Amino acid sequence: MHSAAAPLKKEVTVIPANPQLNKFTGQVEGKILNVCAYARVSTDDEDQLNSFEAQKEYYTDKIQGNPKWRFMGIFPDKGLTGTSLNRREEFNKMMRLCRRGKIDMILCKSVSRWARNTVDGLNTVRELKSLGIAVQFEKENINTLKETSEFLITLFAGFAQAESESLSANVKWGKQKSMKDGNVIFQYKWLLGYSEGEDGQPVIISKDAKTVDRIFREYLAGYSLKQIQEGLIRDKLPAASGKPDWSRQAIRNILVNEKYCGDALMQKTYRVDCISKKVRKNNGELPMYLVKNSHPAIVSREMFQRVQEEMTKRASKKISDSKTGRTRQGKYSCKYAMTERLVCGECGTPYRRCTWRQRDGSYKIVWRCISRLESKESCAESPTVDEGTLHGALLRAINYVLEQREAIEADVAQSLAQAIAKKEGADDVADLENRLARLDEDFRRALQTVNLTAENAETQNREFKRIATEKEKVHEKLNALRLEQEIMAHGSARVKALFDTITAKASGLSEYEDSLAACIIQQVTVLAKDLVRVKFNEIGIELDMTLV
C-alpha cells in the first residue's frame, strides 16, 4: 500500500500590469487618440443655432489644441429631436466609424445632447464601451468607461427623457386647446383644390376644384377607383403633387376627406408617445373635434355623405354560393349598373349579364339569376330578362319620377315634418329657447336671494337642483329637435340633388344611360317574366314597371 500524498502547496505569482496600457481604453499610454465631438440642437431657433455654432467652434479648438489627440471631425445634427436615432444622420455616421475602429474617444456637451431616450442612450454607450471607446460628457463630468458611469448616465438620461415627456404633454395640451377653439391646420401640400390665401385662410383653386368635383361625381356614377384613375391620367389632370401621377389610394383619400365639403375633423390620428413616435388611427381613444363650415366647400355635404354611403355599400358586398349556402366577400363591379342592383324576386340573388348566340349567328344580351346559372336545381322559376327591354322599363320609370318631381319633393318634405312633429309633440325650437331663458332668469333671482342660514339652505338647494335638472332636460330636447330639423333639411337636399342629377345627366331623357341609373336607382327586383319593381335612392319610391 502507498501512503497518501502530501497536499501540494499553492504558489501565486503576481504579473504586474503594463504601466503603458490604460485600464479603461486598453490603449497604450501616450498613443495619439482619434477624437471627435458630437453636437445636436433640437430646433432652428436663432438662440439654438448660435449655441450649435458655438459647440462646433469650441470642440474644434479643444481637440486640435491637444497634442495627444487627432481631430476626427465634428458630427452635428441640427433641428432634430433627441428621442429617436432614426433621423440623426450624423450620429449614425459617427457610430459606423466607431464600429470600424476609426475613433477612440467622443466628446459631448451633455447626456441630454446625446439622447433624451434612456434606452437608446444606454444601448449606444454600452456598445461603444464594448469597443473600448470612451464618451466624455463634459457638463456632468462623466467618462463612460468608468465603473460608475452607467448609473449616472441612466440617472441623467432619465431626467432628460422626463423633460421631453413633460414638454410633449404641454405641446399636446396646447394643440388640443387649439382644436377645441376650432383652429384648423391645413396641409396644403396634400390638399388638392386649396391654397393659402392672403389672410392665412384656405381659398379654392378653381381648376383643381373641378378635378375634385369630377372624382366625386364619377364615383357616384358607378365608376371604380381604377376607372377614375385611368381617366385622370388620360386627361393629364394634375394631382396634389402637380403631376398627373394618380394612384387609387390618392383618389380614395380625396373621397373620404371631409375638408372637401367645408368641414374639418381633427385628431383623426394621434402619436402614442414622444419616444417611439408611433402614429395610430384614433378609434375613440382620444376625443375628436369636428368644425363645420370651417372653410369654403368644393362639394356639397350631401354629395360627400352619399359617397361615404356608397363606399360602405361597395365594401360590404356579399356573394352567396348556391351550392354551399355560404356567403363570402364580393368584389365591386362597376362595368354595368345593374350588376349591383338587379336581383331575383324569388331567392334574392343578384342577376348576371350574359351573352347568348342565336341560331342566325346574332348575339342577344340577357340577365339571369346567378343561383340559376350555377345550379339548374336552384331558383328554377326565375325569369330571364332581355337587356333592351329592361333598359326601356327603367327609362320609363325615370321619366315618370321626373314628371312628378314637384309632388314628390312636397311629399318627402311633408313626411319628414310629420315624423318630427309626431316625435316631438307641440314643442318647437322657439318655445324651448324661451323656456331656457326663463330658467336662466329663475336661477339669477334665486342667486340674488341666497341665504346660507340653516333654515333656508335646504329649500334653496332644492330650488337650484330643480332649475338645473329642468335646464338639462330642455337642453336635451332642444338638441334632439335641432338634429331632427337638420335631418329633414338634409333629406330634402338629397331629394333635390337626385332630381338635379337626372336633369343634368340626360337632357330630354330619350335614351337609357347606365351611369345615370347607377346614380339614382337603388335596386331593381325581378318579380315576374314581364314585371320589375324599381326602387329609387333618397325618395324611397318603388314603381312596378312592365317589361314590353
Side-chain angles (χ1 to χ4, degrees):
M1 293 184 61
H2 298 283
S3 59
L8 298 175
K9 185 180 180 181
K10 294 181 180 180
E11 295 183 5
V12 178
T13 303
V14 178
I15 303 173
N18 187 340
Q20 293 184 320
L21 291 178
N22 187 299
K23 70 174 182 177
F24 296 125
T25 65
Q27 296 165 347
V28 178
E29 289 288 348
K31 173 189 172 183
I32 302 297
L33 299 180
N34 294 328
V35 181
C36 71
Y38 177 72
R40 180 186 65 82
V41 292
S42 56
T43 69
D44 290 329
D45 292 343
E46 185 176 352
D47 290 343
Q48 292 246 342
L49 292 178
N50 290 336
S51 171
F52 185 67
E53 295 301 326
Q55 288 183 58
K56 290 169 61 178
E57 183 178 352
Y58 167 76
Y59 284 120
T60 301
D61 293 341
K62 180 170 183 174
I63 297 172
Q64 290 182 340
N66 191 326
K68 296 183 179 181
W69 290 353
R70 181 181 294 112
F71 181 63
M72 297 300 292
I74 308 293
F75 296 87
D77 281 318
K78 183 169 62 176
L80 294 175
T81 176
T83 56
S84 173
L85 299 177
N86 294 335
R87 295 174 53 206
R88 293 162 66 183
E89 295 180 1
E90 290 295 317
F91 184 91
N92 292 324
K93 178 181 176 182
M94 177 184 71
M95 290 296 294
R96 287 194 295 270
L97 290 175
C98 290
R99 295 178 187 117
R100 291 163 54 190
K102 302 296 184 181
I103 293 174
D104 301 317
M105 180 183 290
I106 302 170
L107 304 182
C108 187
K109 181 180 178 181
S110 68
V111 174
S112 64
R113 296 298 91 194
W114 183 263
R116 285 185 178 270
N117 180 335
T118 306
V119 174
D120 284 347
L122 280 176
N123 286 342
T124 51
V125 165
R126 286 170 178 169
E127 181 183 356
L128 293 172
K129 188 175 182 179
S130 69
L131 296 172
I133 300 171
V135 183
Q136 180 70 41
F137 297 111
E138 297 201 319
K139 182 179 178 180
E140 296 86 2
N141 192 25
I142 298 174
N143 185 311
T144 58
L145 295 183
K146 293 184 178 180
E147 288 85 348
T148 59
S149 64
E150 183 156 322
F151 169 75
L152 294 173
I153 291 171
T154 304
L155 190 65
F156 285 110
F159 289 150
Q161 179 171 322
E163 184 182 354
S164 290
E165 290 170 345
S166 175
L167 180 62
S168 174
N170 291 337
V171 171
K172 186 181 295 184
W173 180 88
K175 287 183 176 180
Q176 288 186 338
K177 178 66 169 60
S178 179
M179 287 187 281
K180 286 181 181 179
D181 294 339
N183 299 320
V184 182
I185 299 176
F186 291 87
Q187 299 289 341
Y188 294 103
K189 181 179 180 181
W190 312 110
L191 196 62
L192 181 68
Y194 290 99
S195 65
E196 186 174 6
E198 295 180 358
D199 58 353
Q201 297 301 310
V203 294
I204 294 176
I205 303 173
S206 178
K207 182 179 178 181
D208 292 338
K210 291 179 180 178
T211 303
V212 173
D213 184 72
R214 168 177 168 170
I215 291 171
F216 275 84
R217 292 189 181 279
E218 288 187 352
Y219 190 82
L220 285 179
Y223 286 55
S224 66
L225 296 179
K226 180 181 179 182
Q227 286 179 319
I228 297 174
Q229 175 194 24
E230 291 172 347
L232 295 172
I233 295 175
R234 181 188 63 244
D235 296 339
K236 298 181 180 179
L237 294 174
S241 63
K243 300 177 181 178
D245 52 354
W246 289 94
S247 67
R248 297 178 202 178
Q249 186 59 48
I251 296 169
R252 180 181 290 278
N253 290 343
I254 288 176
L255 292 170
V256 300
N257 193 338
E258 77 289 338
K259 289 186 174 65
Y260 289 110
C261 70
D263 299 338
L265 182 62
M266 294 180 285
Q267 200 154 263
K268 290 185 279 190
T269 61
Y270 67 97
R271 185 168 287 176
V272 178
D273 55 63
C274 68
I275 305 302
S276 67
K277 293 184 171 59
K278 290 182 179 179
V279 176
R280 289 181 182 170
K281 183 180 179 181
N282 186 1
N283 293 313
E285 297 88 345
L286 295 175
M288 288 188 277
Y289 306 89
L290 176 63
V291 182
K292 287 191 174 183
N293 305 316
S294 70
H295 56 280
I298 292 178
V299 300
S300 68
R301 192 174 284 116
E302 291 73 29
M303 177 180 283
F304 179 80
Q305 186 59 37
R306 287 170 60 199
V307 165
Q308 308 317 303
E309 292 170 1
E310 177 66 16
M311 294 184 85
T312 302
K313 177 182 173 184
R314 295 186 188 184
S316 62
K317 175 177 169 56
K318 300 291 182 180
I319 294 178
S320 177
D321 191 314
S322 59
K323 295 181 180 179
T324 64
R326 297 177 181 176
T327 59
R328 64 182 189 275
Q329 186 66 38
K331 183 178 180 182
Y332 171 74
S333 172
C334 61
K335 192 171 184 180
Y336 306 104
M338 290 301 106
T339 302
E340 301 296 321
R341 295 166 177 83
L342 187 64
V343 298
C344 178
E346 182 178 346
C347 68
T349 305
Y351 267 55
R352 180 186 296 164
R353 191 175 188 265
C354 304
T355 303
W356 281 357
R357 182 171 183 174
Q358 302 186 98
R359 292 181 179 179
D360 60 1
S362 62
Y363 292 92
K364 181 180 181 180
I365 307 299
V366 297
W367 290 79
R368 303 192 75 188
C369 174
I370 293 177
S371 293
R372 183 179 176 183
L373 286 172
E374 293 181 347
S375 172
K376 294 181 180 180
E377 298 177 357
S378 300
C379 203
E381 301 301 321
S382 64
T384 300
V385 178
D386 176 75
E387 184 174 75
T389 305
L390 174 65
H391 288 174
L394 297 180
L395 183 60
R396 294 198 308 277
I398 294 171
N399 276 319
Y400 175 82
V401 168
L402 189 57
E403 291 170 2
Q404 304 296 320
R405 171 173 184 166
E406 293 183 4
I408 292 172
E409 287 182 331
D411 287 344
V412 170
Q414 184 178 1
S415 298
L416 290 169
Q418 288 175 348
I420 293 173
K422 182 179 180 180
K423 183 176 181 179
E424 297 297 336
D427 288 327
D428 61 19
V429 172
D431 291 339
L432 294 172
E433 288 177 341
N434 289 335
R435 180 58 186 152
L436 281 177
R438 289 195 297 272
L439 288 170
D440 286 337
E441 185 60 32
D442 290 347
F443 180 80
R444 282 192 292 270
R445 281 199 300 269
L447 198 60
Q448 290 171 357
T449 60
V450 69
N451 189 335
L452 298 179
T453 58
E455 60 271 16
N456 294 324
E458 186 176 350
T459 302
Q460 290 171 341
N461 283 338
R462 282 200 303 269
E463 178 64 8
F464 282 126
K465 186 176 181 179
R466 179 194 69 80
I467 294 172
T469 302
E470 189 170 351
K471 277 190 69 174
E472 184 178 355
K473 290 180 179 178
V474 174
H475 267 300
E476 289 179 358
K477 206 169 188 181
L478 182 60
N479 291 336
L481 183 56
R482 283 174 173 162
L483 178 61
E484 293 291 348
Q485 289 185 341
E486 184 177 342
I487 291 173
M488 184 177 75
H490 180 66
S492 299
R494 289 171 68 120
V495 172
K496 181 179 182 300
L498 179 139
F499 284 114
D500 290 345
T501 300
I502 297 175
T503 54
K505 288 192 68 63
S507 177
L509 298 175
S510 58
E511 294 182 1
Y512 170 83
E513 186 178 336
D514 224 31
S515 59
L516 173 62
C519 287
I520 64 175
I521 293 177
Q522 180 176 337
Q523 184 173 292
V524 179
T525 305
V526 181
L527 302 177
K529 184 177 181 181
D530 58 351
L531 185 66
V532 294
R533 178 167 295 160
V534 184
K535 184 177 181 180
F536 288 85
N537 290 327
E538 319 304 348
I539 57 179
I541 287 180
E542 294 184 351
L543 299 176
D544 288 349
M545 306 299 297
T546 56
L547 298 173
V548 295

